[in-house]
Amino acid sequence: MNAQIRPASDPEFIRLAGETIRMGGLVAFPTETVYGLGCDAFNPDAAAKIFEAKQRPQFDPLIVHVADRTQLATVVTALTSTAQQLIDQFWPGPLTLVLPKQLTIPDLVTAGLETVAVRMPNHPVAHALIREAGTPIAAPSANPFGYVSPTTAQHVADGLGSMIDLILDGGPCPVGVESTIVSLVGPQAELLRPGSITLEQLSAVIGPVRRSSSVIDQPTAPGQLARHYATQTPVKILPFDKTRPTLQHNERAGLLIFSQTSATDERFAAIEVLSITGDLREAAHHLFAALRRLDAQGLDRIYVEPCHEEGLGMAIMDRLRRCAAL
Ligand code: AMP
Ligand code: MG
């Protein structure tokens, strides 16, 4: 089996994709964050295929995607007022909430936890697919475990093509980094993974949000592993002072920078500029595709200039640090 890339603009392929999910198959589909590898969230056999396709360890739970609040009620048991406020403000959108789960969600989907991670994506193709399938869709990012997440249909085909029934092509993902994950099961809201909904935005709605210590050093789930979202090529993050590195003799190096600051540097075999004007939204949108392009060039090392860890910069630097970790 080699999955065909099909245009999501053709309703016939949405119909086929929905049927594939209902029959227990795997469909890759675009969301506003990255491409997901989806299955029926209530089907443990289908979920097992996702873990196998990605070579994902079974202790790493999946995110369940819903199209509306009726579906949400089949996934979680109850919504606190904090959950309600965040949903009202940010759904549909790139915010995943960890909440107490309904027992009908298979253990494999939640890695045996009594909680489930759930979100309502803000992408017309994801929405149409979940609707057509008629069931919530469990979906991690559609890439081999540990590698850079896919932001185009071709990225999915490159990494997992032979393992998937169908890839819906809805163009490049607008946001480009994975969803923000907030746990609402403890006494205080806790940020488990930074994303494009920023800590500042969350706090403005629900007050102080704890930044999980595991985000920083003690991982409890692979989305939080020190090394994740990683290229084959070693990555080194440069100091903030904008000094360019001294390259070793014959070193073939790539450079990833956030804005078009200075003249191009001839010493680098390849340079990727994430945003000419230094716009962080544009940088996030281009981040994974740029890392993949550099990774495809057989370089000795990729040097990365850092950005400030405010707003979306927190999510971007989180991914880059995990990519650079040894
Ligand atoms: P991915 O779908 O590949 O972006 O990864 C999903 C991530 O969501 C996991 O690696 C976990 O970090 C997180 N996650 C999913 N479910 C839960 C849960 N019940 N509790 C805490 N974290 C979760
Ligand atoms: Mg992932």
Side-chain angles (χ1 to χ4, degrees):
M1 173 176 61
N2 215 341
Q4 301 293 315
I5 297 179
R6 301 295 192 202
S9 52
D10 184 338
E12 182 52 29
F13 290 121
I14 298 289
R15 199 199 54 71
L16 182 64
E19 188 181 305
T20 303
I21 296 281
R22 280 197 304 279
M23 303 285 285
L26 304 188
V27 174
F29 63 100
T31 75
E32 76 276 40
T33 59
V34 301
Y35 273 73
L37 178 59
C39 76
D40 177 355
F42 294 111
N43 183 336
D45 296 332
K49 288 190 213 165
I50 287 187
F51 284 89
E52 195 187 321
K54 281 186 58 107
Q55 302 270 301
R56 183 177 174 110
Q58 295 204 351
F59 58 81
D60 189 9
L62 308 180
I63 293 174
V64 175
H65 296 70
V66 297
D68 52 44
R69 290 182 191 230
T70 309
Q71 282 190 343
L72 177 64
T74 68
V75 176
V76 304
T77 51
L79 294 179
T80 59
S81 64
T82 308
Q84 201 64 65
Q85 282 173 300
L86 290 175
I87 288 169
D88 289 345
Q89 186 71 30
F90 298 112
W91 281 14
L95 176 66
T96 297
L97 300 177
V98 174
L99 292 163
K101 78 164 188 172
Q102 292 281 8
L103 291 175
T104 41
I105 298 288
D107 276 345
L108 190 54
V109 168
T110 60
L113 296 169
E114 288 170 3
T115 56
V116 60
V118 62
R119 84 178 187 100
M120 191 186 291
N122 184 19
H123 192 289
V125 175
H127 191 86
L129 174 64
I130 302 167
R131 268 276 149 74
E132 182 67 34
T135 178
I137 292 181
S141 52
N143 55 297
F145 181 72
Y147 193 63
V148 181
S149 295
T151 54
T152 67
Q154 190 59 51
H155 292 164
V156 179
D158 292 345
L160 292 177
S162 62
M163 314 295 287
I164 308 175
D165 296 300
L166 180 67
I167 300 171
L168 284 175
D169 187 354
C173 301
V175 172
V177 293
E178 302 81 355
S179 60
T180 305
I181 304 180
V182 175
S183 171
L184 297 176
V185 290
Q188 197 190 351
E190 187 177 5
L191 180 71
L192 298 183
R193 176 172 76 186
S196 73
I197 304 289
T198 64
L199 201 55
E200 295 85 340
Q201 284 176 290
L202 295 168
S203 300
V205 177
I206 58 167
V209 175
R210 204 153 65 89
R211 205 180 159 186
S212 161
S213 58
S214 60
V215 172
I216 303 156
D217 49 25
Q218 282 241 301
T220 56
Q224 305 167 328
L225 279 182
R227 181 168 169 79
H228 203 71
Y229 314 112
T231 48
Q232 313 268 314
T233 316
V235 166
K236 184 170 169 42
I237 300 178
L238 294 167
F240 241 107
D241 56 14
K242 300 261 172 205
T243 44
R244 294 275 164 86
T246 312
L247 302 187
Q248 281 163 22
H249 182 61
N250 277 342
E251 182 177 358
R252 282 191 75 241
L255 182 66
L256 183 76
I257 53 182
F258 280 89
S259 59
Q260 187 70 283
T261 41
S262 47
T264 51
D265 191 330
E266 311 256 302
R267 298 174 305 144
F268 291 94
I271 298 184
E272 290 280 348
V273 182
L274 293 176
S275 163
I276 300 287
T277 58
D279 177 68
L280 284 185
R281 295 214 163 265
E282 195 184 350
H285 171 69
H286 290 137
L287 180 66
F288 289 150
L291 280 171
R292 281 168 177 266
R293 278 194 297 273
L294 290 171
D295 202 21
Q297 301 200 33
L299 301 167
D300 297 316
R301 193 174 296 278
I302 300 167
Y303 292 92
V304 179
E305 282 183 353
C307 69
H308 286 286
E309 295 199 41
E310 283 151 21
L312 191 48
M314 189 192 277
I316 293 173
M317 287 308 296
D318 171 78
R319 304 310 186 273
L320 285 172
R321 260 199 307 274
R322 291 176 210 281
C323 185
L326 296 173

